[in-house]
């Protein structure tokens, strides 16, 4: 019956854009990062023209592939526009000045796909002359630059480490709806959808759904986009971002939740150290300092410290951005930690579902990382009567929350959780000032493309 | 400085709902599935009341936790409503008739969170008397049933195996926008969003974005929801579903793409065998049959076989659902495979970006699994002129595709990819007739809650 299976070998001939190339003895493609293993041998490279220089009879090409860059020296070749996809077959020679210490000497190159115009900015020089809006307008090609892509690689590694740490602790991954009938925290800042003529919204958070799923799997996580229709356009907000959500049942207090987040962050830092040293170096970024345990300090204490030590007066109930920065500095100096949990927020500073004590404080926390909040979390109310009381005491009506309340008729165990904003964490790790550059295709107040 | 870290031990006292329990020597909670390791010892269990029976002086309780169920025998206890969260401390005794071969004998139980009403259906008996619409209306509690949750567990394992297989082959995970300015395949079936007064849409697929990302990382994947505003309400369609997307560059043909999908599916089947034997058993489902390679059979050949062997006449250019079923049967009988690639679809049956040959066929494929299509894929057009020709020959205008075309000015390498619908694959593995039950909270034409 094998006549039905398609032939796997096609006689060693590859056809690209009408041009037929005969495969030589050098069949397998080699990645740029592996050149050192092939000194003196002939290799086949594929990738993109990152930079090119023609010195008359000799041409220099920096080829970029998924593993990194390599220098190629050619003679008599016609070099295509930057970002063209090419294939080169040549000999690997030791060359101290070349990236990685080796270069490839080749006669010619095959164009796999020619760029028809150069990129709007010189990708290798982006940091010297970058206009952020231009970079975002042409993001579909500017993200090819080594530094921009490094940020996205760090994010991919970080997200995978998040999942690894939770799977190892018996958490189950969930996939909850992003089209919802109501907001989790009231009606503000929701994007509206036309759902077959009915009004629906984009989910601001998987809050209720992850709570429900505690009743199913006890310990759950989700990695998915969330949406905030916030008008403000700051360097730390996105209208669509990736939320790393966790929720677990049978907790005794918010300390159990912080324990899990601590383990998750520790694993993320470890994985970044193992897999992203090059990416961190591209930003001149140090691995986050992680001093064993993350300090847990009550909000009132944090406010006192900021005022007494730094003379910074804070309005409101929370920490303002400057206070977050100062307090993080304090923690770094005193504990050697880039992370700090600020705990025990007053009820007025937290949503209605936060578990509260009679002293008016909640079993909640924020996580500050290098001066910016990247997580909110805490224990949730699991008791229906307490939940109703919380709404009542805030002057909120049960209207619109009927579906939410219904769930709590079915024996929800004590539970809590947290969420990490993936782009904020990435940006903060790498020292990226504008969080847009920690997302492949950011959406903001004014930006809907690319 | 340790005065700032919150106390980790609170004197062995746990407070739930005002009730203070003293922790005994039995400190750590034990999972139901691990009871056999504690024969003759005292253990602490936590979980949900799955079933309860009171025989006067003796009460029988089946306790459900994330690991499975356990039988608990009590005396003189008052059993709370089903789905209440409880804690039990008791002695593990061998009992042949109990699930797992052990039961726990306890004096009493602590209620952690009392259900205030019973679930609308008896969860352990759902399959005997289930009305699908009722089950979906009360999904927030019906998914706690062992069989419903097993489907979601299988999906979680399957999705993780998908990622594992790709990460092992140097793919990078990407996160692309779900709020888009235009549809990837024209304007049909798009959900519309009010984006700060502008019209935007929910992404039907990450098609263009994953192609762009080939220029960045060469080999990419994404796990994310996609949206189809299709009016029809069938048992195989969802309006929001989880798409497992893959795209890779520097391919020679669609065979390279099928090679990757083959490896991914092989790993998924292996992981399900290792991690989900109980879940498969709950559905009486066999692991998908995977006979080494997946047969690759051209569409025209498949149509001929269905007509000649089974006398089934097919209209249109594709296979109809009955033809898909018959052809899958043929492949199972002849090759012992539950999977088959149907290849070389005519241009008219594929989107404009499918790479085509001069004979009018495309380098494309569908993957059928047990009689249903779970994947579309193929090589894409990477050349700008060919892409323009494709639009022109279809009578399509370049208007609305300017952003798409722009990307191909920058040397896109030959590339291709595929997408797997996670819920369809899950449903088909387990023999779930209605794909809604392979999603935690399905969205369809009429369903927006829970």
């Amino acid at each position: 019956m094998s006549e039905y299976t398609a032939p796997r070998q096609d006689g060693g001939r590859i056809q690209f854009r009408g041009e037929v190339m005969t495969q030589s003895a050098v069949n397998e493609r080699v990645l740029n990062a592996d050149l050192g293993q092939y000194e003196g041998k002939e290799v086949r490279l594929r990738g993109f023209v990152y930079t090119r220089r023609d010195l008359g009879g000799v041409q220099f090409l920096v080829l970029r592939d998924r593993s990194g860059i390599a220098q190629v020296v050619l003679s008599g070749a016609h070099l295509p526009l930057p970002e063209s996809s090419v294939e080169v077959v040549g000999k690997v020679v030791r060359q101290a000045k070349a990236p990685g210490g080796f270069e490839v000497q080749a006669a010619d190159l095959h164009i796999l796909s020619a760029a028809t115009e150069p990129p709007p900015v010189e990708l290798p020089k982006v940091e010297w002359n970058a206009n952020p809006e231009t970079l975002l307008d042409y993001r579909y090609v500017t993200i090819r630059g080594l530094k921009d892509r490094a940020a996205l690689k760090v994010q991919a590694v970080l997200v995978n480490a998040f999942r690894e740490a939770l799977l190892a602790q018996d958490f189950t991954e969930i996939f909850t709806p992003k089209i919802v009938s109501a907001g989790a925290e009231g009606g503000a800042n929701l994007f509206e959808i036309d759902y077959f003529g009915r009004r629906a919204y984009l989910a601001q958070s998987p809050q209720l759904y992850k709570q429900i799923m505690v009743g199913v799997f006890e310990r759950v996580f989700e990695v998915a986009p969330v949406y905030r229709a916030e008008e403000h356009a700051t360097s730390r907000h996105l209208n669509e971002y990736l939320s790393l959500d966790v929720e677990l049942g049978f907790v005794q207090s918010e300390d159990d939740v912080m324990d899990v987040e601590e383990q998750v962050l520790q694993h993320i830092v470890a994985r970044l150290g193992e897999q992203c040293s090059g990416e961190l170096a591209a930003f001149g970024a140090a691995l986050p300092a992680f001093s064993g345990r993350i300090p847990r300090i009550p909000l009132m204490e944090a406010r006192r410290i900021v005022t007494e030590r730094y003379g910074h007066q804070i309005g409101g109930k929370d920490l303002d951005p400057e206070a977050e920065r100062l307090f993080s500095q304090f923690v770094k100096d005193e504990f050697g930690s880039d992370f700090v949990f600020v705990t025990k927020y007053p009820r007025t500073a937290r949503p209605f579902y936060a578990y509260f004590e009679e002293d008016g404080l909640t079993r909640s926390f924020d996580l500050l990382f290098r001066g910016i909040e990247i997580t909110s979390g805490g224990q949730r109310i699991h008791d229906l009567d307490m939940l109703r009381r919380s709404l009542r005491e805030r002057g909120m009506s049960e209207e619109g929350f009927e579906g939410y309340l219904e769930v709590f008729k079915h024996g929800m165990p004590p539970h809590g959780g947290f969420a990490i904003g993936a782009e904020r964490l990435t940006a903060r790790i790498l020292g990226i000032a504008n969080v847009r550059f920690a997302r492949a295709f950011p959406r903001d107040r004014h930006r809907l493309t690319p």
Side-chain angles (χ1 to χ4, degrees), chain A residues 220-232:
Chain A
V220 297
F221 69 92
E222 180 163 20
V223 173
V226 296
Y227 299 90
R228 307 281 166 110
E230 284 163 349
E231 293 273 351
H232 50 56

Side-chain angles (χ1 to χ4, degrees), chain A residues 254 257 350 363-367 375-380 417-419:
Chain A
E254 72 278 28
V257 182
R350 306 305 274 198
R363 296 188 181 175
S364 66
F365 60 87
D366 275 6
L367 180 73
T375 284
S376 271
Q379 186 174 344
R380 328 296 188 182
F418 62 91

Side-chain angles (χ1 to χ4, degrees), chain A residues 27 79 96 199 211 230 256 315 362 441:
Chain A
N27 250 303
L79 296 179
R199 187 178 301 180
Q211 291 183 259
E230 284 163 349
D256 292 339
T362 57
F441 303 98

